[in-house]
């Protein structure tokens, strides 16, 4: 490939939101940005397909953040011969082993469970009864990771450099700014990664740019506005108060990474303000507890308000009545406790983990409530519940949905439509190309329409496996 050219191949999160991966080839280097796990049911088979590039031929992985839909195929990549370096921020580097080992555990459990069930039912499922990767595979990843500070330019070779900028999405999340020597001048390609919201607790505001030649922009919430975050705590108060009065449980499927800490932050504030009834809150996720401990080691990455809270002695993630659940036995006893409680457990989309047991125990109780505080991808159990399916299948059994279902979108770690537009408005001129990824097709199209109307700029919505050459005329 000629010097000065940049080829980009869209390998995931195209017209949907998981499996984020972009392959780049330029000036003698081969790299990928993110190596995510496909989590939507209809795309799960892609996790099992061979990589479309040779893992051994890659020089770098640029990892925007530790979420599984961006990092979850790294164990497979390393197992299949990757020899290069994985570049990530220090927080992402610290979180990655926790996230990948948890994922590997789930993969192993899932495979064992499938094997047992298929044997019992005398059939074979669509996927092999071996794990996609094992804990051992996951343990091999961290030695490849090199941490890169924000706003520090790193030369990947003499014609390509990388700078990470805070994406404000989860702690340690990054946008990747690549500068490469184009045919005539230096060009800038920016991967937004997942863009956060402005004025969120814990994390800083998303970084903005005044110049970019090419942008790959996420569009998860390209068609909607979040609730006004000021009302979030009011909604939580109402829901918890009413459920406790009716004698039910508040079950919150929670992503262990960021969302759990954010929920703790709000519950801690509400408790300090004496706005909640006296109930026990169970954080039934050893992984969320681990992540919380990692967060506490990286105060410098947090926003100034959260840093100030720590310094003032008010711990934003801990409060009276909070109980961290470690063992599975302890987890199973929660539902036999008399009276109401709040249960935070993973996984956030109800695709596995301890939340499934709590859902099985609560979903048919009209006095209980399931509170969704995160994105629910298509095909997941969480999505089925928020879409109002009358019956859902949990661990092979059917349960009627009688519990109340509440969805709070303001807690999203993602920018909404207006935030994405705001992010683009900082650019002084229209980029040569804006690729909208990481959003269902209707969301990406809605954002494309808005960008055209408000800024008069063209955008493109690439499809899976599409390849584009960025050569100054794209
Ligand atoms: Zn993310």
């Amino acid at each position: 490939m000629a010097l000065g050219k940049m080829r980009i191949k869209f390998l995931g999160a195209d017209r949907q939101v998981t499996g984020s991966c972009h392959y780049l080839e330029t000036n003698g280097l081969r790299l990928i940005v993110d190596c995510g796990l496909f989590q939507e049911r209809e795309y799960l088979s892609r996790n099992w397909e061979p990589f479309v590039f040779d893992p051994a031929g890659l020089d770098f992985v640029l990892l925007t953040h530790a979420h599984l839909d961006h990092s979850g195929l790294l164990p497979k990549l390393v197992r299949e011969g990757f020899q290069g370096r994985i570049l990530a921020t220090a927080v992402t580097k610290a979180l990655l082993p926790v996230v990948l080992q948890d994922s590997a555990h789930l993969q192993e459990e899932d495979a064992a469970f499938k094997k047992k069930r298929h044997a019992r039912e005398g059939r074979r499922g669509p996927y092999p009864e071996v794990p996609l990767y094992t804990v051992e595979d996951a343990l091999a990843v961290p030695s490849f990771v090199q941490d890169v500070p924000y706003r520090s330019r790193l030369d990947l070779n003499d014609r390509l450099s990388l700078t990470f900028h805070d994406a404000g999405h989860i702690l340690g999340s990054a946008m990747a700014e690549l500068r490469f020597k184009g045919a005539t001048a230096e060009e800038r390609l920016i991967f937004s990664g997942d863009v956060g919201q402005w004025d969120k607790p814990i994390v800083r505001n998303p970084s903005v740019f005044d110049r970019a030649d090419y942008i790959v922009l996420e569009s998860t919430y390209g068609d909607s506005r979040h609730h006004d975050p000021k009302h979030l705590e009011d909604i939580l108060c109402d829901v918890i108060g009413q459920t406790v009065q009716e004698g039910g449980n508040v079950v919150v499927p929670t992503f262990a990474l960021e969302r759990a800490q954010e929920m703790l932050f709000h519950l801690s504030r509400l408790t300090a303000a004496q706005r909640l009834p006296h109930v026990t809150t169970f954080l039934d996720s050893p992984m969320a507890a681990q992540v919380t401990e990692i967060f506490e080691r990286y105060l410098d990455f947090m926003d100034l308000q959260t840093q100030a809270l720590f310094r003032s002695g008010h711990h934003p993630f801990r409060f009276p009545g909070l109980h961290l659940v470690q063992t599975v036995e302890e987890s199973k006893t929660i539902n036999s406790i008399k009276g109401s409680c709040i249960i935070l457990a993973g996984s956030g989309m109800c695709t596995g983990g301890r939340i499934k047991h709590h859902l099985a125990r609560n979903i048919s109780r009209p006095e209980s409530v399931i509170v969704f505080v995160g994105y629910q991808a298509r095909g997941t159990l969480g999505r089925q519940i928020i879409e109002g399916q009358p019956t859902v299948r949990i661990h092979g059994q059917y349960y009627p949905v009688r519990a109340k279902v509440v969805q709070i979108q303001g807690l999203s770690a993602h920018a909404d439509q207006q935030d994405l537009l705001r992010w683009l408005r900082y650019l002084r001129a229209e980029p040569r190309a804006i690729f909208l990824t990481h959003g269902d097709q209707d969301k990406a199209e809605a954002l494309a329409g808005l960008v055209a109307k408000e800024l008069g700029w063209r955008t493109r919505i690439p499809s899976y496996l599409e390849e584009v050459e960025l050569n100054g005329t794209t």
Side-chain angles (χ1 to χ4, degrees), residues 65 67 69-70 169-170 194 414:
H65 62 291
H67 272 152
D69 61 327
H70 293 255
H169 167 60
I170 62 169
D194 287 356
H414 282 271

Side-chain angles (χ1 to χ4, degrees), residues 229-338:
K230 284 189 212 73
H231 300 311
L232 282 175
E233 292 183 357
D234 295 338
I235 298 171
L236 277 176
C237 260
D238 289 350
V239 168
I240 294 168
Q242 194 192 338
T243 309
V244 170
Q245 220 169 36
E246 292 174 11
N249 290 334
V250 180
V251 179
V252 190
T254 316
F255 298 94
L257 176 47
E258 193 81 22
R259 193 56 36 82
Q261 292 73 36
E262 207 179 333
M263 286 301 292
L264 295 178
F265 180 95
H266 289 292
L267 292 172
S268 170
R269 268 169 52 113
L270 290 170
T271 304
Q274 300 186 318
R275 292 184 65 194
L276 291 182
H278 289 288
V279 286
T280 305
T281 298
F282 294 99
L283 179 63
D284 188 11
S285 166
M287 181 180 164
Q290 252 180 307
V291 169
T292 308
E293 278 169 23
I294 292 173
F295 273 31
E296 288 161 5
R297 296 210 305 263
Y298 291 96
L299 293 189
D300 289 356
F301 282 72
M302 295 184 186
D303 70 343
L304 298 177
Q305 184 202 7
T306 312
Q307 288 185 27
L309 275 177
F310 271 105
R311 292 205 182 95
S312 72
H314 173 90
H315 199 302
F317 305 138
R318 299 182 198 260
F319 50 90
L322 172 66
H323 188 82
L324 307 183
V325 182
Q326 289 297 337
T327 66
V328 175
E329 289 67 38
E330 210 185 334
S331 168
K332 284 180 180 160
T333 61
I334 293 175
N335 284 289
S336 51
I337 291 168
K338 288 211 166 54

Side-chain angles (χ1 to χ4, degrees), residues 3 52 65 68 85 109 119 135 141 146-147 162 190 205 221 248 270 315 328 366 384 397 412 422 453-454 460:
L3 280 180
V52 301
H65 62 291
L68 272 189
R85 276 184 288 160
E109 271 173 25
V135 170
V141 174
Q146 175 189 334
D147 70 87
L162 161 74
I190 293 170
N205 287 342
Y221 289 101
L270 290 170
H315 199 302
V328 175
Q384 290 168 20
Q397 280 193 46
S412 171
R422 175 176 177 178
K453 183 169 156 255
E454 296 287 324
R460 296 170 59 164

